[in-house]
Amino acid sequence: MTTQKNRLEVLLLVVVGTILLLTLYVYLRADSELNRKYDIPLAPLDIVAGSGTVAEGERLTRIRGCFWCHGASLEGQKYFAEAGKGIIAVAPDLTRIVRRYTPAEVARTVRHGVKPDGTSLQPAMPSFAYYNMSDTDMAAIITYIKSLPEQNGLEGRFEMLPIGWLRWVLGQLPPNVADLIDHTAPRPDPALTGSAVERGRYLAESICTECHGDNGRIRVPGSPNLEITAAYSKTDFIRLIRTGVPMGERNIDYHMVDASKYRYTLLTEAEINALYAYFRSLVPGALAE
Ligand code: HEC
Ligand code: HEC
């Protein structure tokens, strides 16, 4: 009787111990994937702060949506949108980070998704879109953020939830954002591109790709391939971008409505025209304006 009870206890211990060890193994492997290092060389970034740079930097920061995730004073906040994927990220206090990192380190973090310690950010931070941002725009954004009062906001790394460990077992952990980027692709400098189509390409690739993706890699579910713009007259396109009201005045997803109302009101008329010219250039035979 006692020996049988003892055997049961041993068996129970073995089972519980195995489960604990397996859980620890899965956790450590998933954690080491999240802490993988990337060797991306630092590129120098010149900060040439002429008059008007801060104002232009603010406009670009708003258009690119940094406030949407990092908070109204860029003081940092928790970002739960990826929770279903097993990660809760912290979009951290940028007012302190731009003071702590060198400009080249900020630029590499934003454009390559690789922090000074070599680890990658999570894809909640849309570095795959910002990769395309020019040095001039990047420098203006840094100058602007540095001009903001320093906050005592939220910092800290993302938390992995148990469902994240499970997703690692299933091979479904969200990829590190650095894995979504071609780190050697040429980056267009808008200053060198005279034509409206090229200017539009630059704006589209560094702004709209945040949700609409590129090469068919859609980011926010429901956001269409932007070749849909071929169906838009210029007047309808301008109204959509400025107000979030699409053709046919349907109610559309709040991501697009909010981006239009709070961010794209700051695009100039020439920029919207350039976007329109670029999207139409993608569709052979698109109707003339
Ligand atoms: C859609 C939400 C979103 C937008 C838009 C966004 N960020 Fe982030 N950002 C995040 C999240 C979430 C993190 C943290 C990711 C992580 O911990 O892996 C982050 C991390 C960062 C970091 C790294 C900080 C560190 O700990 O080293 C910097 C720098 C940064 N963002 C700057 C910017 C700038 C500048 C913009 C605008 C051009 C911007 N972000 C727009 C969500 C966003
Ligand atoms: C924050 C995410 C986000 C950003 C950034 C964004 N969009 Fe969208 N957009 C969406 C979503 C989501 C939809 C789908 C809305 C729906 O059909 O409910 C959409 C829809 C559209 C549509 C189709 C409207 C229709 O008639 O169905 C166009 C055109 C468009 N976006 C253009 C742009 C352009 C141009 C930019 C860059 C200047 C941009 N979007 C940036 C999320 C975004």
Side-chain angles (χ1 to χ4, degrees):
M1 197 62 196
T2 0
T3 32
Q4 207 175 8
K5 198 176 156 232
N6 283 349
R7 275 206 203 126
L8 261 178
E9 277 173 359
V10 170
L11 191 69
L12 205 68
L13 256 162
V14 169
V15 170
V16 170
T18 312
I19 291 176
L20 281 178
L21 275 175
L22 266 176
T23 312
L24 185 70
Y25 171 76
V26 165
Y27 170 78
L28 289 176
R29 286 302 299 266
D31 195 61
S32 83
E33 173 57 17
L34 295 176
N35 284 308
R36 193 146 57 86
K37 304 261 178 169
Y38 294 79
D39 186 15
I40 307 289
L42 265 184
L45 184 79
D46 285 337
I47 301 281
V48 189
S51 69
T53 308
V54 169
E56 175 64 354
E58 171 165 16
R59 190 180 81 93
L60 298 173
T61 305
R62 292 196 179 281
I63 289 173
R64 295 303 189 302
C66 318
F67 290 92
W68 174 299
C69 299
H70 287 269
S73 311
L74 298 182
E75 75 284 16
Q77 58 186 4
K78 276 206 168 177
Y79 185 84
F80 291 97
E82 307 274 302
K85 298 181 191 154
I87 306 270
I88 295 181
V90 175
D93 180 343
L94 293 184
T95 65
R96 278 194 285 167
I97 278 169
V98 294
R99 289 175 168 88
R100 195 182 320 137
Y101 295 1
T102 66
E105 285 172 340
V106 177
R108 182 175 62 180
T109 311
V110 171
R111 297 199 291 202
H112 293 268
V114 174
K115 298 212 269 189
D117 68 5
T119 59
S120 169
L121 299 173
Q122 288 301 294
M125 166 68 186
S127 295
F128 47 83
Y130 303 145
Y131 176 82
N132 296 306
M133 238 182 339
S134 69
D135 282 1
T136 321
D137 286 3
M138 193 68 248
I141 287 176
I142 293 174
T143 306
Y144 165 63
I145 299 179
K146 266 197 179 156
S147 80
L148 293 174
E150 191 167 346
Q151 306 287 323
N152 190 14
L154 195 62
E155 287 200 49
R157 56 169 286 185
F158 49 78
E159 297 161 25
M160 189 166 36
L161 308 173
I163 189 177
W165 314 350
L166 193 66
R167 292 195 70 148
W168 178 80
V169 178
L170 301 172
Q172 293 178 349
L173 202 68
N176 292 328
V177 77
D179 286 335
L180 296 176
I181 296 169
D182 173 358
H183 297 279
T184 54
R187 178 178 294 126
D189 184 341
L192 300 177
T193 57
S195 80
V197 168
E198 282 308 309
R199 177 86 186 132
R201 179 199 306 278
Y202 170 70
L203 295 168
E205 287 180 349
S206 65
I207 302 175
C208 317
T209 43
E210 177 197 333
C211 300
H212 289 274
D214 57 359
N215 302 325
R217 195 168 62 202
I218 301 295
R219 288 274 313 160
V220 169
S223 54
N225 183 316
L226 287 182
E227 289 178 4
I228 192 176
T229 307
Y232 270 73
S233 71
K234 195 186 249 177
T235 317
D236 283 341
F237 183 70
I238 294 173
R239 185 176 62 165
L240 167 68
I241 297 301
R242 291 256 192 247
T243 66
V245 177
M247 232 169 57
E249 305 187 4
R250 302 166 351 265
N251 280 331
I252 57 169
D253 184 274
Y254 77 96
H255 285 92
M256 186 64 206
V257 177
D258 283 5
S260 300
K261 280 208 244 175
Y262 303 116
R263 295 160 57 176
Y264 303 151
T265 39
L266 297 171
L267 287 168
T268 65
E269 207 181 318
E271 285 172 334
I272 298 183
N273 288 342
L275 279 165
Y276 187 70
Y278 167 63
F279 290 127
R280 290 178 85 82
S281 77
L282 299 177
V283 184
L287 294 174
E289 294 174 15

